[in-house]
């Protein structure tokens, strides 16, 4: 198709150089004629013309990445700037969680959002349902090298809502198990290769944690995890999903929690802190990370994003998938993804530039993987370079088994549901409230949220 239009492209380039055609019109004509966005932008960059030299297109990109993630994202943005000077990316980093998503919703509802933004997959469906996101065109994606076969089916499908693709996954970030290699070796939990032996079932897990606690010495623990934060939800939902429990009906309108399974899970969790006491009963996120980093715990349960912290601290550690405690393997997690918020006046040139940016970021995601996240883009995940990245590649196999938070406006990463779960479950972990009472209170709280109208 492009070769058939070469004469037209040549004429349009001449028109741009003479000032008879704008650069935006050139991009619209070229993409409509069948040229890929990358070809069109490359040709446009060579057009010269009466306008000052500089980027042919400019897009705005919003994200919520701070800390190590933020540093790696900036590195990837710089890589794109060097490789594609024809596109200027104005990157904006906003506060993680509800502040970010509130601003994104307001910008999209006002019709003046960024051309491309990061969204957790767990937040995407709510925004798509409100018409705040633009669906992707598969043919447009194919022209910049983004096709379904380059993603795991389970990962690609999570980007869909009502049969349309609204989110392109950048990664999967699962809940994982960090383990101190010195402590676990002393406890007899490592194999001849120095890797953690398989641990499956409640009894095997509890025995492993008790052995690790003994090996950690006085004042040490078998496992440490955040009790004063959203980690309680991540543990609960991982284990409840391993029992094949559901929280909401398929349409998301009815609470269908299995009380017996939920109480079974919360009882096991409370046993860790208030009965067997292999884990501290009240500790915040920073305290949990510091305790493991200082060598006072055999295990640490958290998201995989703290890998750089322990590497920097020279903690003797490795990582493994979160253990299978019950019938079916599942683990809580989420996916960072690229979305295109709804524009009041869509610009084909900006859309083409945004798609090229997304394509590049996927291809450059080995940089992203170094921070712990599992790349969604299979050409990176399947590469020898990634397989040799340790310990980050040790848990890549869990990507198809990640369960994301139930779909609703109050659910998802950094959401009201995650926060309220911690408030309700923490007293159970401390032994002040029984698991049955905790589940009853949790159900009443979630039902109240279900009865509340979407706030935007």
């Amino acid at each position: 198709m492009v070769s058939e239009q070469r004469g037209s492209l040549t004429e349009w380039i001449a028109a741009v150089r003479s000032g008879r055609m704008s650069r935006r019109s050139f991009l619209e004509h070229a993409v409509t004629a069948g040229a890929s966005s990358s070809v069109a932008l490359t040709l446009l960059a060579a057009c010269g013309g009466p306008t000052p030299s500089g980027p042919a297109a400019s897009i705005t990109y919003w994200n919520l990445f701070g800390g190590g993630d933020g540093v790696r994202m900036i590195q990837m943005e710089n890589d794109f700037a060097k490789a594609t000077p024809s596109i200027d990316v104005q990157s904006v980093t906003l506060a993680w969680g509800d502040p970010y998503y509130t601003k994104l919703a307001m910008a999209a509802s006002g019709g003046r959002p960024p051309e491309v933004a990061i969204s957790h997959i767990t937040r995407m469906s709510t925004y798509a349902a409100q018409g705040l996101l633009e669906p992707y065109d598969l043919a447009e994606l194919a022209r910049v090298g983004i096709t379904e076969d380059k993603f795991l089916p389970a990962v690609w499908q999570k980007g869909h809502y009502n049969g349309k693709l609204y989110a392109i996954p950048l990664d999967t970030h699962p809940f994982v198990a960090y383990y101190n290699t010195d402590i676990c070796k002393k406890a007899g939990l490592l194999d001849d290769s120095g890797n953690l032996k398989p641990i499956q079932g409640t009894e095997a897990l509890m025995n492993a944690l008790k052995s690790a606690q003994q090996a950690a010495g006085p004042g040490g623990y078998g496992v440490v995890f955040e009790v004063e934060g959203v980690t309680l939800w991540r543990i609960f939902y991982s284990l409840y999903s391993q029992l094949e429990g559901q929280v909401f009906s398929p349409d998301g309108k009815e609470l269908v929690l299995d009380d017996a399974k939920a109480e079974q899970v919360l009882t096991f969790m409370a046993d860790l802190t208030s009965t067997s006491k292999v884990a501290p009963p009240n500790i915040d996120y920073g305290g949990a990370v510091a305790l493991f980093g200082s060598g006072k715990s055999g295990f640490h349960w958290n998201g995989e994003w703290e890998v750089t912290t322990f590497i920097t601290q020279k903690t003797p550690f490795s990582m493994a998938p979160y253990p299978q405690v019950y019938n079916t393997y599942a683990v809580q997690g989420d996916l960072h993804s690229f979305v295109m918020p709804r524009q009041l006046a869509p610009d084909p040139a900006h859309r083409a530039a945004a798609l090229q940016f997304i394509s590049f970021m996927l291809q450059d995601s080995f940089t992203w993987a170094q921070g712990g996240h599992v790349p969604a883009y299979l050409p990176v995940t399947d590469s020898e370079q990634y397989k040799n990245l340790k310990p980050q590649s040790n848990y890549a196999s869990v990507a198809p088994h990640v369960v994301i938070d139930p779909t609703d406006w109050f659910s998802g990463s950094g959401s009201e549901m995650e926060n309220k779960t911690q408030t309700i479950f923490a007293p159970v972990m401390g032994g002040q409230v029984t698991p049955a009472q905790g589940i009853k209170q949790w159900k009443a709280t979630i039902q109240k949220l279900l009865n509340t109208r979407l706030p935007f």
Side-chain angles (χ1 to χ4, degrees), residues 113-162:
E115 280 75 23
V116 59
I118 288 291
S119 172
H120 288 91
I121 282 287
T122 50
R123 297 285 192 137
M124 175 273 294
S125 59
T126 297
Y127 286 76
Q130 298 302 308
L132 300 179
L133 301 178
E134 299 283 357
Y136 285 101
D137 181 286
L138 298 184
E140 284 185 330
L141 292 179
R143 287 198 286 267
V144 294
I146 302 174
T147 51
E148 182 177 354
D149 62 309
K150 293 177 181 173
F151 300 80
L152 290 172
V155 172
W156 179 257
Q157 189 55 43
K158 285 182 172 68
H160 288 72
Y161 173 77
N162 279 356

Side-chain angles (χ1 to χ4, degrees), residues 123 168 258 373 408 447-448:
R123 297 285 192 137
I168 298 174
D258 186 312
H373 305 316
D408 219 307
Q447 186 61 57
K448 185 176 180 180

Side-chain angles (χ1 to χ4, degrees), residues 52-300:
S53 60
S58 178
I59 62 170
T60 302
Y61 163 54
W62 283 13
N63 69 79
L64 37 56
F65 299 124
D69 280 353
V71 172
R72 287 185 174 81
M73 180 53 62
I74 290 172
Q75 181 181 340
M76 294 164 69
E77 292 167 9
N78 290 339
D79 290 345
F80 179 77
K82 292 176 183 177
T84 318
S86 59
I87 301 175
D88 176 47
V89 177
Q90 299 293 323
S91 180
V92 178
T93 302
L94 300 170
W96 191 91
D98 277 339
Y100 175 82
Y101 287 106
T102 299
K103 290 180 181 179
L104 186 61
M106 292 175 64
S109 62
R112 298 182 63 85
E115 280 75 23
V116 59
I118 288 291
S119 172
H120 288 91
I121 282 287
T122 50
R123 297 285 192 137
M124 175 273 294
S125 59
T126 297
Y127 286 76
Q130 298 302 308
L132 300 179
L133 301 178
E134 299 283 357
Y136 285 101
D137 181 286
L138 298 184
E140 284 185 330
L141 292 179
R143 287 198 286 267
V144 294
I146 302 174
T147 51
E148 182 177 354
D149 62 309
K150 293 177 181 173
F151 300 80
L152 290 172
V155 172
W156 179 257
Q157 189 55 43
K158 285 182 172 68
H160 288 72
Y161 173 77
N162 279 356
K164 294 183 178 180
L165 181 70
Y166 284 93
I168 298 174
L170 170 63
D171 65 49
T172 300
H173 46 280
F175 198 62
V176 298
Y178 300 80
Y179 59 96
N180 183 297
T181 50
D182 289 350
I183 292 174
C184 287
K185 181 179 180 180
K186 185 177 178 180
L189 300 176
L190 304 185
D191 61 22
D192 293 338
S193 300
N195 297 315
L196 188 67
K197 295 176 182 177
I199 300 174
Q200 184 170 342
T202 54
E203 183 177 357
L205 178 57
M206 189 61 74
N207 288 339
L209 297 180
K210 289 178 179 179
S211 296
Q213 183 174 28
Q214 184 175 4
Y221 291 96
V223 62
V224 60
F225 50 82
E226 173 194 35
V227 176
E228 299 174 6
V230 300
T231 298
L232 291 185
W233 164 256
R234 292 172 179 146
I235 297 173
F236 174 80
Y237 195 49
S238 294
L239 299 181
Y240 181 68
S241 297
Q242 290 186 8
L243 287 172
E244 301 181 38
Q246 300 296 318
V247 176
F248 298 142
S249 58
D251 61 8
K253 296 181 179 180
E254 182 181 356
L255 183 64
V256 295
L257 192 79
D258 186 312
D259 290 16
K261 291 179 179 179
E263 187 175 339
Q264 180 182 352
V265 168
L266 195 53
T267 299
F268 175 76
M269 290 171 59
D271 186 15
L272 298 172
T273 55
S274 61
T275 306
S276 297
K277 298 183 179 179
V278 293
N282 42 36
I283 190 167
D284 63 13
Y285 186 92
V289 171
L291 190 64
F292 179 77
S294 65
K296 289 294 186 179
S297 179
F299 292 86
H300 174 50

Side-chain angles (χ1 to χ4, degrees), residues 388-418:
N388 292 329
L389 182 66
K390 299 294 182 180
Q392 291 92 328
S393 63
N394 290 354
Y395 46 85
S397 61
V398 308
H401 307 287
V402 164
V403 287
I404 62 174
D405 292 2
T407 299
D408 219 307
W409 69 264
F410 53 82
S411 180
S413 290
S415 66
E416 189 78 358
M417 183 173 72
E418 290 190 346

